[in-house]
Amino acid sequence: MGSSCRSCRWLRLFVVVLLLGFLVCTSFCRAQDDSEPDDEITAVYIVTLKQAPSVHRFAQELRRGNKNHGFHKQNGTSGRLSRLNNPRNVSISHPRSGYNISRVHDSILRRAFKGEKYLKLYSYHYLINGFSVFVTPQQAEKLSRRREVANVVSDFSVRTATTHTPQFLGLPQGAWIQEGGYETAGEGVVIGFIDTGIDPTHPSFADDASEHSYPVPSHFSGICEVTRDFPSGSCNRKLIGARHFAASAITRGIFNSSQDYASPFDGDGHGSHTASVAAGNHGIPVVVTGHHFGNASGMAPRSHIAVYKALYKSFGGFAADVVAAIDQAAQDGVDIISLSITPNRRPPGIATFFNPIDMALLSAAKAGIFVVQAAGNTGPSPKSMSSFSPWIFTVGAASHDRIYTNSIILGNSLTISGVGLAPGTDKMYTLISALHALNNNTTTTDDMYVGECQDSSNFNQDLVQGNLLICSYSIRFVLGLSTIKQAFETAKNLSAAGIVFYMDPFVIGFQLNPTPMKMPGIIIPSPDDSKILLQYYNSSLERDEVTKKIIKFGAVACILGGLKANFSNSAPKIMYYSARGPDPEDSFLDDADIMKPNLVAPGNSIWAAWSSLGTDSVEFQGESFAMMSGTSMAAPHIAGLAALIKQKFPSFSPSAIASALSTSATLYDKNGGPIMAQRAYAKPDENQSPATPFDMGSGFVNATASLDPGLVFDASYNDYMSFLCGINGSSPVVLNYTGQNCWAYNSTISGADLNLPSITIARLNQSRTVQRTLTNIAGNETYSVGWSAPFGVSMKVSPTHFSIASGEKQVLNVFFNATTSGTAASFGRIGLFGNQGHIVNIPLSVVARLSYNATTNS
C-alpha cells in the first residue's frame, strides 16, 4: 500500500480532476512498479512447500481423535462434533514445532543455493508451510524446480483501504444488553488487527476503565515486543499482544525507521483508529482542538486487542509481511482478524482467490478464525471490489445519521452551506480576500499560491486584523502541499476573526470531511457556491475612481459554526467510494458466483482514537481522536460486532458468524425507505438510486438481530476446497497452495452451490437448481417462505413452509429458469419468516441467458 493511496487521505477530499488524477496515479503506479521484480534485480518471493502446515496437521489429528474418542454431548446435540462447533481453544502446536519447521526451510535454501547469497525473511509454518526469501529471479527459478517446493510467487504491495455509531446501531439498548451491558460486551474474545500498529498510551486501550476483573483469555499465547518506541508495560490486559513485520520492506531499502517505527507503535494513526472502532474502551471523551464531541466506544468494548503491524506510513505494506502477520496472529490464538487493507492490484492467475493473502486466510478460517476485510475505496464503478474470497467477510461503507454542517450568512442575507468543525462568530465581520491583504513586498507573481494563506509574512496585519480572511482551497490541500492547520496559524498570527475557504474553480467535484478548526472558520466545498461568495465580495468593494485601489471592504458575513451535530433520517446510504460488485473472478473480469460485498456498515465520518504521533492526517496531528472515512472504518465495526456473536455463541464457525450478520441485515433507512447508493464522485447526493446487492450485499448490519438470527448457513473448509477445485484448471494451483490434491474431493461445486446466505449466478444458462441448508440455533419454529424473482427469471423455492426443531437442519431447493436473455445482473430476494419473529434474508443476483445450444446446468 502506498501512502499516496491511503484510504483516509483519499477520502478527506476525493477530487475528480481527471487529468491530475491520471498523473498522480501514473506516478504512484510507477513507484509501485519499481518495487516489483524484473529479470535483473533481486526481489522478495513467497515460497510454499508441499508439506501441509501446522493447522492442517492439527485438523487431521482432530479428525482422528473424533473417530477414536468422540465428543461429549452439549446443549442437547448429538455426540458427534457439529459443523457449527469451532475447536479454537485447543492447543494447536508444540512450542518447538515452529523452530523445527524453520530449520527445514533453512536446509532447503542451503541445498538449493549451495553457497550463493540469499536472505530468508520469514518462515511461515502455521497457516501455510513456506517462507519468503530475497533472491534473484534465477534463484527463484531454482527454488521452483525443487521437489519440496509447490509454489513460488513474487511479493506484491497492499494498501489501507466512534462516538455515535454504537447508538445508531442500537448497541446500548440492544446487543450490549444481551451481553450484560457494555462492561462485559465482547469479553474473552481476542481481535487481531493487521494494520499500522497502535498507540498503547491512548485511554481507549487502557485496562483500568472498569473495576471488574479483566483476565487475559487462556487460549491466547501472543507476546508484546519491547523496543524504545514500545517500552515494557505498553501491553496490559486490554492490549494483550503487539508485534511488527517489516522484513520485506527493509530488504527493498524503503523502510524509514524515523517515521515508520521498527516496533508495534503507530506512527500513522490508521491502526489506532481501526482498533478503537472495534474494541476501544467505553465512554472515552472525544476532545479535538479543545472542543468536546461526545464520548467514544468500540463495538465490543470489553474485547481484547492483539496488534500485528504490517503497514507503514511512508510506503504501505507488502504481502510477505502481511502473510507473516496473519500466520502469527493465528498461531497466537486470535478469534477474529480485522484487515482494513486491500491489494494494490487485482491478483493475476486463473482466479483472484489464488493469492498468498487469501490462501493464508483460508487456512485461518479452517482454524476457526473469523476474517473481516474492507471492500476497498475504489467505488462507485461496478466490479471495483478489492476483496474476493467467500471465506472472507467483505464490508462496504455506509453513512450513519450524524452529520456536522456549517454555514455562513452573507451581508446580502444569502446563506451558503459548508463544512468545518469550528466555532461560529458572535456577529457580522468584514470579509477581506487574502489577495487584497498582501504586504508591499508580496505579489501573486512571486507566489501564485499566496491566496492559500500558508505564510503570515506575506500579509498586511493591519488589513487582516479583526476581519474574516478569505483563502483559496485548491488541489494542493489534497496533495498535502498546503494545510488547513497552517492557514489557521496564519490567521492567528494576523489576529484575524476567522477564515472562509472558497473552492478553486478547477476542482470540479469532491466530498470533504469535516475538518477541525480552533477558531471560527468554514470551507465552502461547492465551486458554484464559492462563485456566489466571491461575486458578493467583489461587488461590495469600493475603489478609487482614478487609481482603482480598494478604499473600502464592504462585504460582511457571520459564520454559524459546525461544532454541533445534526441528525438525518436519510441514513444509512452507500458511500460513493465504497467498492462495488460483482466479484471479479479473474484478471479477465469474469464474474464469480460469489456475492460481494457481504454487508455494509458505518464507514463515513467516524470518530475514533488517533495516535499521539499519527501523521496520516495533517489536520489531526497532535490530537487524540480523528474523524476518518473509508471502508477501513467500516470493517472494524463488523469485527467488533462479530466479537459479540462469538461471545454469545463460542462454538460458532466463521461461516456461522458470517451468516448471522448477513441474514439479519436491514434493507431500509431510518425513514423506512430503501437504502440509497451514491453513484458518482461529483455531487454524490444528487446522483443516487436504490442500492442493489452489488452495492450493499445483504444490507446494512443490524447489530441486535445478528445475536438472534434463528437460522444459520454453515460452510466448511472442505466446501471451500471443493469450490476451488471446481474452477477450470485449478488443480495444480490448489495443490501448490494447500498441498492437497483435488482428486481427494469426490465432487466439485461452483460458487453458487456454496452454502452461503446469498445466491449469485453469473451465467444462468436456461435453468438451474441450487440448494441451501439451514441450521436452527433457536427454539422450535415454523417458517413460511416468500421470494421476489430477479427480472428475466422465473423461480420457485421448496418447501414453501416448514417446521424445524432446535438444532435440526432444513434444505431449501431453489429453482431458477431464464425467461429473457441479458448481459447485466438482475436482483431478487428470498425471505424466511418465522412464527417466533425470526426473519432470514437471502439476496439473489442472476444474469440470465437463453442459450439453447449450451449445456443446461442443473
Side-chain angles (χ1 to χ4, degrees), residues 13-167:
L13 179 58
F14 206 118
V15 182
V16 186
V17 185
L18 295 181
L19 178 58
L20 182 56
F22 172 76
L23 293 174
V24 172
C25 181
T26 302
S27 173
F28 167 72
C29 293
R30 270 196 206 112
Q32 292 299 324
D33 288 342
D34 288 344
S35 68
E36 301 298 337
D38 58 32
D39 290 336
E40 304 300 326
I41 61 173
T42 53
V44 176
Y45 292 85
I46 300 173
V47 180
T48 308
L49 302 183
K50 293 177 180 177
Q51 185 178 7
S54 300
V55 69
H56 292 261
R57 293 198 301 275
F58 167 73
Q60 292 166 358
E61 293 169 6
L62 184 63
R63 283 195 294 270
R64 286 196 295 268
N66 293 353
K67 292 177 181 178
N68 295 334
H69 305 293
F71 278 80
H72 293 294
K73 192 173 182 179
Q74 296 181 12
N75 301 325
T77 60
S78 64
R80 63 183 176 83
L81 180 64
S82 167
R83 288 184 67 184
L84 295 182
N85 278 339
N86 179 17
R88 284 287 300 133
N89 295 350
V90 182
S91 177
I92 295 180
S93 61
H94 189 275
R96 291 186 57 84
S97 64
Y99 172 73
N100 292 334
I101 293 175
S102 180
R103 291 181 62 186
V104 171
H105 296 167
D106 292 338
S107 175
I108 292 171
L109 287 167
R110 285 195 301 269
R111 293 197 306 271
F113 298 140
K114 298 177 181 176
E116 296 178 10
K117 291 183 178 180
Y118 65 90
L119 177 63
K120 188 186 77 169
L121 308 183
Y122 298 107
S123 274
Y124 311 124
H125 62 88
Y126 189 71
L127 296 179
I128 62 175
N129 182 10
F131 49 84
S132 55
V133 62
F134 191 58
V135 292
T136 65
Q138 292 78 13
Q139 288 175 307
E141 176 65 22
K142 281 185 182 180
L143 278 174
S144 69
R145 294 196 298 267
R146 298 283 305 181
R147 59 181 177 79
E148 306 98 331
V149 172
N151 201 32
V152 178
V153 297
S154 60
D155 195 11
F156 57 89
S157 57
V158 297
R159 62 186 175 201
T160 55
T162 81
T163 56
H164 177 66
T165 48
Q167 284 74 25

Side-chain angles (χ1 to χ4, degrees), residues 512-574:
L512 183 65
N513 274 339
T515 302
M517 304 173 181
K518 291 185 177 180
M519 60 191 298
I522 187 172
I523 306 172
I524 300 173
S526 163
D528 292 337
D529 288 342
S530 296
K531 289 180 182 178
I532 293 173
L533 167 71
L534 296 177
Q535 287 170 356
Y536 163 68
Y537 170 80
N538 290 323
S539 67
S540 301
L541 295 173
E542 292 186 20
R543 296 179 182 269
D544 183 277
E545 292 183 0
V546 178
T547 65
K548 301 302 181 183
K549 289 186 177 180
I550 298 171
I551 58 176
K552 182 180 179 181
F553 298 95
V556 295
C558 171
I559 297 174
L560 295 185
L563 296 177
K564 186 178 180 180
N566 299 307
F567 296 90
S568 166
N569 284 329
S570 60
K573 68 177 66 173
I574 313 304

Side-chain angles (χ1 to χ4, degrees), residues 776-822:
N776 185 13
I777 63 162
N780 299 350
E781 194 162 2
T782 299
Y783 283 85
S784 60
V785 183
W787 61 87
S788 61
F791 178 78
V793 176
S794 63
M795 62 177 289
K796 181 180 180 181
V797 183
S798 64
T800 57
H801 296 82
F802 61 88
S803 295
I804 185 169
S806 178
E808 286 192 349
K809 298 181 184 297
Q810 173 66 50
V811 175
L812 289 182
N813 293 287
V814 186
F815 174 76
F816 296 94
N817 184 62
T819 58
T820 61
S821 189

